Amino acid sequence: MHSGGSVQVSPFLRIFAGGNLKRVDSGTGRIYAASQKYRNDLLEREGVAISRMQRAYKAATKASIDELEALEGRIAEREANGEPPSETILWMRQRIIDNIEQLGKNLKKFSVEGAVITADGQLQAAILANDATPGLVEAAAGKKPAGVTLGTSWTSLPDEQLQAFVGFAGDGSPLAVLFDAIPQVTTDAMQLALVQGISLGEGPRTVARRVRKAADIGRQRAETIARTEMIRSAREAQRQLYTENGSVTGYRRQATQDARVCLACLALSGTLQATDTIMPSHPNCRCVMIPETLSWAEITGDSSIPDTRPKVATGEEILKGLTPLEAQQILGTARYNLYAEGLPLSDMATVVPNADWGPTTRVLPLRDLEGYIPDLTTYL
């Protein structure tokens, strides 16, 4: 999971051929570099929002967390004084219940702030998409012929349209609805941890640590919401820009070239989508929507201009640029062996609907790949 700051990636796609490292054509390298610069810039803005979210959550939960941490010391004192375990458990249980109730009240205040932080992040993400997309369109169109001028510039969205991407979740509901659920989700997790710990016969200090760990559920959920909704705003702004640009006919997914790339994203890299289609995603997805443009010959009406549009790298091409160890880390041993035997990457992933996050990428479980070979166990 990305925790803020810029992620550095190679400015060109690596291709290993015959044991030697080779660059792909310069056009593909340029479009890859442009897409990753945009994604890194977006990650920097995401990092700012996440840092704000972490500070707000820490401020809202500090008193409760401090109390839970101190509780372990008090439990130890009671145990050292010879108090019966059953009495210590009852004493601890009531204090944790009181703590959970107070934390829930504090998180209701945090929910309002979390929605504001995310909305601010959405606006920054949409502004970045607005500023960066013309450069992506130019890179996708290929090398501009000498002496060519266009009567109009690449499309840009006015401020009022950028505001339309702010304050709402992917399902159209206000961000506040997502954040309103955080207090209940967090306190439910803490109560469950308390009940499970006691029912399993764990010691009071172990139970207290279990409950304290559950208190972090809300922060994790808040960060996921912020990351997901920021990237969604950026992509929706891009889709609008692509839709309004007569030179753009669709977009292709471009996955990141490193060992942290998601297998589902890798499998879908290079696939073409219509501009009115939402790109399937997942929390913390780092893929970029590369515009599919008309050629310069089509844009200018001069059929003598050669087509220099670069290709968007497929998952197979990205995989070739990684070391065998990196590839195996991404695919896992079984899928890596299946891939070596000829199973296409595209057959390892699918897209499923999700009411909260929209179309979501998912890696197919190994059991769903059994039909490709007689005995899957031989590949494990």
Side-chain angles (χ1 to χ4, degrees):
M1 179 178 291
H2 180 67
S3 58
S6 176
V7 175
Q8 298 302 317
V9 297
S10 171
F12 61 92
L13 285 169
R14 295 173 294 168
I15 298 295
F16 285 97
N20 297 316
L21 178 63
K22 296 185 178 181
R23 291 175 183 258
V24 297
D25 70 89
S26 59
T28 298
R30 280 195 299 271
I31 193 66
Y32 185 78
S35 71
Q36 294 313 300
K37 181 184 184 306
Y38 165 66
R39 185 62 182 117
N40 285 350
D41 290 345
L42 186 57
L43 283 173
E44 288 182 355
R45 285 155 178 76
E46 178 186 289
V48 171
I50 295 304
S51 293
R52 288 181 62 193
M53 192 75 73
Q54 290 171 342
R55 290 194 297 270
Y57 193 83
K58 183 177 181 179
T61 61
K62 185 179 187 305
S64 294
I65 298 300
D66 288 349
E67 177 63 26
L68 286 171
E69 290 176 345
L71 184 60
E72 293 183 44
R74 293 175 189 151
I75 290 170
E77 291 176 5
R78 296 174 75 93
E79 291 174 337
N81 292 332
E83 179 172 302
S86 58
E87 293 184 17
T88 300
I89 283 286
L90 290 174
W91 176 85
M92 174 209 68
R93 178 178 175 275
Q94 187 56 51
R95 274 148 186 78
I96 288 180
I97 290 174
D98 293 342
N99 185 293
I100 291 173
E101 181 180 354
Q102 184 58 48
L103 181 64
K105 293 178 181 177
N106 292 340
L107 285 180
K108 287 182 180 179
K109 298 176 183 177
F110 162 79
S111 296
V112 176
E113 188 172 2
V116 171
I117 291 171
T118 302
D120 289 344
Q122 284 181 316
L123 179 58
Q124 292 304 313
I127 290 173
L128 175 62
N130 198 37
D131 293 341
T133 296
L136 286 174
V137 174
E138 287 190 1
K143 185 178 180 180
K144 187 176 180 181
V148 169
T149 58
L150 297 176
T152 58
S153 61
W154 303 116
T155 307
S156 183
L157 298 177
D159 290 345
E160 57 268 22
Q161 281 186 270
L162 291 176
Q163 290 290 342
F165 303 110
V166 177
F168 294 93
D171 62 359
S173 64
L175 284 176
V177 174
L178 286 177
F179 279 91
D180 282 347
I182 286 179
Q184 192 64 53
V185 168
T186 308
T187 55
D188 284 351
M190 294 173 72
Q191 289 169 346
L192 179 61
L194 174 63
V195 171
Q196 287 180 333
I198 294 176
S199 64
L200 291 172
E202 295 176 340
R205 277 183 284 177
T206 301
V207 174
R209 283 193 292 271
R210 179 193 282 266
V211 173
R212 178 157 52 90
K213 184 177 180 180
D216 203 40
I217 293 291
R219 178 192 61 79
Q220 296 170 9
R221 184 173 179 85
E223 290 182 16
T224 297
I225 292 171
R227 287 191 172 98
T228 302
E229 296 306 330
M230 282 183 67
I231 189 63
R232 184 191 62 79
S233 294
R235 287 173 177 167
E236 287 303 287
Q238 277 191 297
R239 284 206 310 116
Q240 178 119 12
L241 286 163
Y242 293 163
T243 299
E244 295 181 4
N245 192 321
S247 299
V248 177
T249 59
Y251 69 86
R252 292 185 186 273
R253 186 190 197 101
Q254 174 70 78
T256 299
Q257 183 207 5
D258 60 28
R260 296 191 301 113
V261 66
C262 163
L263 173 55
C265 293
L266 189 70
L268 294 171
S269 188
T271 53
L272 179 63
Q273 302 286 336
T275 56
D276 61 355
T277 301
I278 296 175
M279 187 173 83
S281 188
H282 61 83
N284 309 319
C285 177
R286 296 184 295 145
C287 291
V288 177
M289 298 162 55
I290 303 299
E292 180 83 354
T293 72
L294 299 174
S295 67
W296 281 109
E298 292 169 321
I299 292 172
T300 63
D302 183 352
S303 60
S304 67
I305 299 176
D307 189 351
T308 58
R309 288 174 295 180
K311 294 193 308 177
V312 173
T314 64
E316 285 79 8
E317 289 170 330
I318 293 175
L319 208 57
K320 288 177 183 178
L322 303 176
T323 66
L325 179 59
E326 289 173 329
Q328 191 164 348
Q329 288 175 340
I330 296 167
L331 273 65
T333 301
R335 291 185 183 85
Y336 179 79
N337 290 330
L338 286 170
Y339 179 70
E341 290 291 329
L343 178 64
L345 284 177
S346 59
D347 289 348
M348 298 185 189
T350 188
V351 176
V352 296
N354 185 294
D356 292 327
W357 312 117
T360 303
T361 57
R362 184 171 70 91
V363 177
L364 285 172
L366 284 171
R367 63 177 177 273
D368 290 351
L369 303 178
E370 291 180 359
Y372 289 98
I373 53 175
D375 184 7
L376 182 62
T377 59
T378 62
Y379 290 81
L380 298 176

